[in-house]
Amino acid sequence: MSERILSVLVEDKPGVLARVSSTISRRGFNINSLSVGPTHIEGRSKMTIVTELDAVEQVKKQLNKLVNVIKIVELDPEMTIETEVLLLKVSINKDTQTSVIEKANLSSAKSVDVGQDYAIFEMTGSSKDLNKFEKLMKPFGIIEMVRGGRIAIQSNL
Amino acid sequence: MTKELITGAELIVRSLEHLNVSTVFGVPGGAILPAYDPLYDSPIRHILARHEQGAGHMAEGYAQATGELGVVIATSGPGATNLITPLANALMDSTPLLAITGQVASTAIGNDAFQEAYTVGLSMAATKHNYLITDASEIPQVLKEAKYIATSGRPGPVLVDVPKDILNQKTSWVEPKDLDLPGYKPTIEPNPKMIQQAASLIKSSKKPILYVGGGIIHSKSHKELYDLATSYNIPVVTTLMGRGAFPDGHELCLEMPGMHGNYTATTSIQDSDLLIAIGVRFDDRVTANPDFFAQNAKVIHADIDPAEIGKVREAQVPIVGDAKNVLIGLMEALKGSELDTASWINDLKEMKKNFPLSYDQKDDGPLKVPYVLEQLQNLTEEEAVVVSGVGQHQMWISQHWNFTEPNTWLNSGGLGTMGYSLPAAIGAQTAFPDKLVLALDGDGCFQMTCQELITASTENIPVKVVVFNNGNHGMVRQWQKIFYNSKFSASELTHHTPDYVKLAESMGAVGLRMTKKDDVKKIFTEMLNINDKPVLIDCVVDPDDMVFPMVPAGGSNDQVIMNKEDLKQL
């Protein structure tokens, strides 16, 4: 599996996310992750789309046809800083509490809310790190987990 | 001085006038009603269709015959959903179309109001771009943008959805600004390096083929194509959408390749060492199984839409640009060179002689469509605009009619929309009231939009309709015969119901009928002499006739089935 990351600059107009996702599903492209948010420029948003190597040329070309898509840059994996965010709610009790918190600390997850029988952790990192943390928490009983899409930026190196 | 206050509806009509729109096709209804009030007082001609699908195809026919923007108006909800088929059709065939739809009041959007449909969402995948107007003052700018997007680059349909309260909103005219579309900048001028590379491939080719399509017609570059082909003796195949881009009858013209193309056109591509593909998209009806398509050929692929290049077939020389600029560039780059194609052209000439198109019309037998078509063309002195439906008759027309001018062959190529012919012919006839416009349709197709004959007679649009009545969905029947052991599931209509002559008369048209060889000349002469009314001919033809040549879907273009005998090998 060879992934490609596209950084897509779009006009911040109503429906632009729908146009992009409609194009992707209509053309039958394989997408591993898609995230969208504002940029430092007013009226412009940035989407990060993670796709497979075999689809990347057509994804780029078909998305470029959308009037609201301004620019698509394929990020060089060697020079890309990539991150993803996770919120995870896990059940705890007297017996497991210490172990859960210890494991979270060692994984650089931040505890953001702790109750009688649950703890919520926040974590940012590579998808791999987040997967590892999820696996680590599984035996304790994950109540709920939310992950944001992957975002990426090109380094200057 | 205070600025004159006008409504959103008036802004729409005024904007259309500013954009030089002279004719619109449409059907009114609740949400779009405010727009019809100022339209009544405008010099713009409105043609009232009997169904929004018909209105949409009329606008397409108008656009395809003129090469200019076609405009259609419909109301919210069902009005807009009925437009989806013509929009998808226009997207496939790259037809410049502007659709204006009414929407429920902006305060009611999302509440499942009466006649509410999510038009922008529904049409998203059937348009090049679309808009929802949120303030009346946006209208002049959006309509200017919409026309530009529809007609530039690779043309296509653009929809503008306008809520009813915004049609009634009072504002003042705002002169549209220069267009600022940072994400939309079509590449017109090809990269000179690519042109040079293409030219050097062409110079060394012994068996080149110009494989051209609708892109030549959209870019109005048939003259440049003619110059290139004839200056360097390069044979030309014209795809279904490209018929008329290069004149049939010219010794370099091989006409249509593909599933029902003629043997020489299809085989020339297989034998070629270089495909010069311009304004085509390697559609599956041309390539059959792409793994077996033109296996010995290098490919130069020029298109204004970069997404078409490499989509189906890898190109050794990809060129993004307008077909006209590409052809001019190639002409320039080839200056002074001579191509050695004489023996290639000779081979193809022999092939044409050995594998002609054929049909078998018996004196006392049922009528065959190709025979009828040849007789009709013999009787027409001027260059007619021929508008087809979809199926067997469409393939026969493309095979047997001699097209010598662009924009004289209108059909639904990509989407294959039955019901396209009659309304599109009405649109073409509206654009050219004095031209001979022929709607050559199948009976199955005709029944899908036949109510538009009322539009033709009430609006004095004298289209001439020939319904090839084989009492069947002919192409479906043909496939059932070949691939489903002659199990004719749901493909039979009937020769007799409706009575097409009476149907025509009841709709205000002249109805005629031909059933045998002796009728053909007489009835066509009668039809051609009527110019003040629409005419319909019920042309009763052989239900068992099949279209050949044929390459089954997914097959190889190396195995062209020429006749019924060849079928036994399947």
Side-chain angles (χ1 to χ4, degrees):
Chain A
M1 190 177 78
S2 182
E3 282 187 341
R4 289 293 180 270
I5 303 175
L6 300 176
S7 183
V8 184
L9 185 68
V10 300
E11 287 185 278
D12 182 16
K13 294 224 165 142
V16 64
L17 177 60
R19 285 178 208 284
V20 168
S21 53
S22 153
T23 302
I24 287 168
S25 66
R26 166 183 166 210
R27 299 272 173 191
F29 298 138
N30 237 342
I31 291 295
N32 299 342
S33 167
L34 188 157
S35 72
V36 59
T39 66
H40 65 292
I41 308 159
E42 208 192 305
R44 300 283 182 270
S45 297
K46 183 66 79 69
M47 291 185 184
T48 306
I49 299 174
V50 185
T51 182
E52 297 294 320
L53 174 66
D54 60 340
V56 72
E57 280 309 311
Q58 269 293 308
V59 172
K60 272 200 278 187
K61 284 174 168 178
Q62 294 296 345
L63 291 182
N64 248 325
K65 284 169 72 165
L66 297 174
V67 172
N68 298 139
V69 170
I70 299 167
K71 197 174 181 191
I72 303 180
V73 178
E74 186 178 341
L75 301 182
D76 180 344
E78 300 291 307
M79 307 205 305
T80 300
I81 310 297
E82 190 201 330
T83 196
E84 190 180 343
V85 63
L86 164 149
L87 286 170
L88 185 142
K89 190 194 276 178
V90 62
S91 51
I92 52 173
N93 55 41
K94 265 194 226 130
D95 300 336
T96 60
Q97 188 170 316
T98 328
S99 174
V100 166
I101 289 172
E102 197 182 326
K103 284 197 159 75
N105 284 341
L106 286 170
S107 308
S108 315
K110 192 173 129 197
S111 98
V112 287
D113 184 19
V114 184
Q116 277 295 333
D117 51 359
Y118 74 93
I120 299 178
F121 296 101
E122 173 197 302
M123 185 175 173
T124 58
S126 69
S127 303
K128 225 180 179 174
D129 289 343
L130 302 192
N131 290 344
K132 231 161 110 187
F133 181 61
E134 181 195 347
K135 219 170 160 188
L136 215 52
M137 289 295 114
K138 211 168 178 181
F140 301 106
I142 296 172
I143 302 166
E144 196 180 344
M145 186 183 80
V146 194
R147 285 171 74 159
R150 294 155 66 178
I151 55 170
I153 200 163
Q154 189 101 336
S155 137
N156 282 345
L157 283 168
Chain B
M1 200 182 88
T2 52
K3 269 194 164 178
E4 172 206 18
L5 282 183
I6 59 174
T7 64
E10 287 167 315
L11 282 175
I12 287 181
V13 175
R14 202 180 282 189
S15 297
L16 292 177
E17 289 169 5
H18 278 238
L19 296 170
N20 296 321
V21 172
S22 61
T23 310
V24 299
F25 305 88
V27 182
I32 195 68
L33 211 46
Y36 271 81
D37 192 62
L39 189 58
Y40 192 80
D41 304 317
S42 162
I44 294 172
R45 182 179 183 192
H46 178 270
I47 307 281
L48 172 63
R50 264 50 181 177
H51 189 288
E52 290 86 355
Q53 184 192 350
H57 293 323
M58 286 174 201
E60 288 185 272
Y62 182 95
Q64 287 187 297
T66 58
E68 310 291 329
L69 182 75
V71 182
V72 56
I73 300 179
T75 196
S76 63
T81 57
N82 282 342
L83 271 187
I84 299 294
T85 299
L87 289 172
N89 193 71
L91 186 66
M92 275 287 216
D93 289 346
S94 311
T95 305
L97 206 67
L98 169 63
I100 297 171
T101 47
Q103 181 55 276
V104 300
S106 48
T107 47
I109 287 180
N111 283 331
D112 303 314
F114 176 65
Q115 290 194 328
E116 181 181 359
Y118 178 31
T119 304
V120 166
L122 285 166
S123 63
M124 203 170 269
T127 53
K128 185 171 172 184
H129 193 54
N130 61 16
Y131 296 86
L132 174 67
I133 303 282
T134 55
D135 191 281
S137 62
E138 299 165 14
I139 288 170
Q141 184 70 24
V142 165
L143 288 181
K144 184 180 172 182
E145 271 183 29
K147 179 182 177 179
Y148 174 68
I149 292 169
T151 54
S152 59
R154 179 178 182 173
V158 176
L159 178 139
V160 179
D161 199 27
V162 197
K164 189 170 186 178
D165 54 331
I166 285 166
L167 291 171
N168 289 323
Q169 185 194 337
K170 290 223 167 170
T171 182
S172 49
W173 170 264
V174 186
E175 195 62 31
K177 298 179 295 236
D178 288 345
L179 296 176
D180 174 30
L181 297 163
Y184 181 73
K185 294 189 165 57
T187 305
I188 305 300
E189 200 54 55
N191 181 334
K193 241 191 249 162
M194 292 294 127
I195 293 288
Q196 288 306 329
Q197 284 183 24
S200 72
L201 275 189
I202 294 172
K203 281 180 204 167
S204 60
S205 165
K206 295 271 183 281
K207 297 174 165 189
I209 288 285
L210 271 158
Y211 158 35
V212 301
I216 301 291
I217 292 168
H218 294 306
S219 68
K220 304 181 171 72
S221 56
H222 53 285
K223 288 203 180 78
E224 288 77 7
L225 171 67
Y226 189 88
D227 287 348
L228 183 75
T230 54
S231 304
Y232 299 100
N233 285 313
I234 308 171
V236 184
V237 299
T238 46
T239 68
L240 184 65
M241 293 311 294
R243 304 283 295 121
F246 190 77
D248 290 353
H250 192 285
E251 65 160 3
L252 290 170
C253 190
L254 307 177
E255 306 185 12
M256 183 176 75
M259 180 178 273
H260 291 296
N262 72 76
Y263 181 87
T264 308
T266 305
T267 307
S268 71
I269 292 176
Q270 297 303 85
D271 293 353
S272 163
D273 64 4
L274 178 68
L275 292 185
I276 309 162
I278 306 178
V280 290
R281 56 187 181 87
F282 292 76
D283 179 71
D284 58 81
R285 258 44 183 171
V286 170
T287 64
N289 185 336
D291 292 343
F292 301 113
F293 180 72
Q295 291 182 85
N296 304 315
K298 291 192 170 135
V299 173
I300 297 165
H301 190 182
D303 204 283
I304 200 157
D305 179 359
E308 287 306 341
I309 298 171
K311 187 181 81 176
V312 175
R313 170 72 177 249
E314 191 202 344
Q316 278 67 43
V317 183
I319 307 175
V320 180
D322 187 273
K324 189 175 233 163
N325 304 53
V326 169
L327 286 162
I328 292 170
L330 287 176
M331 218 31 203
E332 192 64 29
L334 286 167
K335 211 174 240 174
S337 44
E338 256 178 63
L339 267 64
D340 178 18
T341 58
S343 90
W344 172 229
I345 289 169
N346 223 28
D347 291 350
L348 295 171
K349 226 183 254 173
E350 279 298 300
M351 207 186 280
K352 261 194 205 176
K353 219 187 292 165
N354 294 334
F355 298 94
L357 290 168
S358 63
Y359 60 85
D360 178 22
Q361 175 66 60
K362 301 231 165 19
D363 280 342
D364 53 355
L367 284 172
K368 306 282 185 168
V369 176
Y371 170 78
V372 175
L373 289 170
E374 280 187 15
Q375 298 306 305
L376 177 55
Q377 185 150 38
N378 288 342
L379 290 168
T380 55
E381 287 151 20
E382 54 174 318
E383 191 73 40
V385 177
V386 176
V387 192
S388 156
V390 170
Q392 284 186 316
H393 71 281
Q394 176 191 27
M395 294 296 104
W396 276 315
I397 302 166
S398 185
Q399 288 178 345
H400 292 273
W401 198 269
N402 274 305
F403 293 100
T404 55
E405 297 283 337
N407 305 95
T408 59
W409 163 238
L410 318 187
N411 82 126
S412 166
L415 198 67
T417 308
M418 293 171 70
Y420 168 88
S421 172
L422 172 60
I426 292 171
Q429 186 84 80
T430 309
F432 298 110
D434 300 324
K435 270 197 185 175
L436 174 62
V437 178
L438 299 166
L440 307 181
D441 211 359
D443 51 344
C445 291
F446 177 72
Q447 287 188 30
M448 292 201 177
T449 51
C450 63
Q451 74 278 22
E452 301 305 344
L453 201 54
I454 309 167
T455 308
S457 51
T458 50
E459 297 274 354
N460 289 315
I461 301 166
V463 284
K464 294 171 173 55
V465 187
V466 180
V467 177
F468 291 112
N469 173 4
N470 62 2
N472 279 274
H473 286 291
M475 191 60 96
V476 173
R477 185 180 171 85
Q478 175 166 342
W479 282 47
Q480 286 174 333
K481 206 177 241 180
I482 300 170
F483 305 111
Y484 295 90
N485 209 12
S486 291
K487 199 163 145 193
F488 298 121
S489 174
S491 55
E492 284 177 72
L493 302 162
T494 154
H495 280 295
H496 315 293
T497 313
D499 179 327
Y500 292 99
V501 173
K502 285 186 186 157
L503 183 81
E505 287 166 353
S506 77
M507 291 183 177
V510 176
L512 302 168
R513 178 173 289 128
M514 57 172 71
T515 59
K516 53 187 192 299
K517 208 178 159 191
D518 282 348
D519 297 341
V520 176
K521 211 171 165 185
K522 194 182 88 205
I523 298 290
F524 275 145
T525 307
E526 201 177 334
M527 171 185 86
L528 292 168
N529 283 329
I530 302 168
N531 290 309
D532 57 342
K533 271 181 170 208
V535 188
L536 179 144
I537 295 178
D538 174 17
C539 176
V540 182
V541 297
D542 184 2
D544 286 314
D545 207 2
M546 293 204 269
V547 184
F548 293 107
M550 177 175 181
V551 177
S556 157
N557 276 350
D558 287 330
Q559 279 136 22
V560 179
I561 294 165
M562 291 301 290
N563 49 44
K564 279 183 193 165
E565 294 308 302
D566 284 0
L567 278 178
K568 290 172 189 154
Q569 297 162 17
L570 273 181

